[in-house]
Amino acid sequence: MKRIGIYVFPWLSLFIYFLLPVNDYPWYFRAAMLANFFFGMGMIARIHKHYTVDQLIASHSIGYLLLLLFVAMVVIDVQIIHNKGVFPRTFSCYPFFIVEAFVSVPLLIWLSARWRRFNRLILFVGVNSLLYYFFQRQAYLAMHKLLGFIGMTEASLLGAIFETVGTILILILPVLAVNKWMPFMSGKLRIKF
């Protein structure tokens, strides 16, 4: 029953997400249902790790195909769909967003197996994703202002890459500080009852 529940959980969460009307729910309940879909798919991938992840890491052809698909999807996203909104609200095309995620996550796994020197940074961001999500708006605004000073005010792929990488790097120090002095903010404080 537990195994069946793991397979049903993501699809049930996605069904509930689409069933709920768009409202402001306490604790972003509707958005949590969409996030549960991805968490559940991660649990399924973990169960089948030796069939999925290990084969993915070993295969060059699958990795290059994922890279090609991802680049094509980014171009389609920017040129045609251009998702508007933020995670708790609405995107303009959820099926595309879900397919894009199913391409980009395995691609990230494949790339991290190839670029081992960057794994520490990728793992740091992943482990501290809650803090990155919390602080990213402020760091993004700082990067946007900095790029404005150097004359990169037009929206461009190069500007987006600078903003993304700069935001990740700027947040390393605040995230380390929070982990050291306020671990309860990152969910790393263990309380024993």
Side-chain angles (χ1 to χ4, degrees):
M1 287 304 291
K2 183 179 177 184
R3 183 63 64 96
I4 291 170
I6 288 172
Y7 287 99
V8 170
F9 170 76
W11 301 105
L12 181 63
S13 295
L14 192 63
F15 177 74
I16 292 169
Y17 173 82
F18 285 116
L19 191 68
L20 291 171
V22 178
N23 288 321
D24 284 329
Y25 294 95
W27 303 288
Y28 291 119
F29 180 74
R30 187 169 184 265
M33 291 296 106
L34 183 61
N36 282 342
F37 171 72
F38 291 106
F39 291 141
M41 295 310 289
M43 290 169 21
I44 292 169
R46 188 175 209 172
I47 289 169
H48 300 286
K49 179 183 180 296
H50 62 285
Y51 297 118
T52 55
V53 176
D54 293 344
Q55 286 182 351
L56 170 67
I57 289 171
S59 174
H60 289 289
S61 57
I62 292 174
Y64 289 122
L65 177 64
L66 287 170
L67 184 61
L68 182 66
L69 283 172
F70 180 73
V71 168
M73 292 185 92
V74 168
V75 169
I76 291 168
D77 197 8
V78 170
Q79 296 298 323
I80 300 168
I81 296 173
H82 192 62
N83 289 332
K84 293 180 175 138
V86 293
F87 182 72
R89 300 283 186 248
T90 57
F91 290 93
S92 61
C93 185
Y94 272 108
F96 187 84
F97 172 69
I98 290 169
V99 172
E100 198 172 30
F102 274 104
V103 170
S104 59
V105 170
L107 177 62
L108 182 62
I109 292 168
W110 184 77
L111 287 174
S112 66
R114 300 290 169 281
W115 300 338
R116 294 199 182 274
R117 62 184 169 174
F118 297 113
N119 274 356
R120 286 186 63 200
L121 179 62
I122 293 169
L123 289 172
F124 179 80
V125 173
V127 167
N128 295 291
S129 59
L130 183 63
L131 292 173
Y132 268 86
Y133 181 71
F134 181 74
F135 288 127
Q136 60 91 20
R137 180 71 181 155
Q138 298 86 341
Y140 167 77
L141 290 174
M143 275 305 299
H144 191 69
K145 194 166 229 171
L146 179 68
L147 289 176
F149 282 133
I150 61 173
M152 292 183 75
T153 54
E154 292 294 318
S156 67
L157 183 59
L158 184 61
I161 291 170
F162 276 122
E163 285 177 348
T164 303
V165 173
T167 300
I168 289 169
L169 296 177
I170 285 173
L171 287 179
I172 289 174
L173 290 176
V175 166
L176 288 172
V178 167
N179 282 332
K180 183 170 183 165
W181 291 300
M182 294 179 281
F184 61 90
M185 284 185 67
S186 61
K188 294 185 173 122
L189 181 66
R190 301 285 180 237
I191 301 172
K192 293 183 181 179
F193 292 102

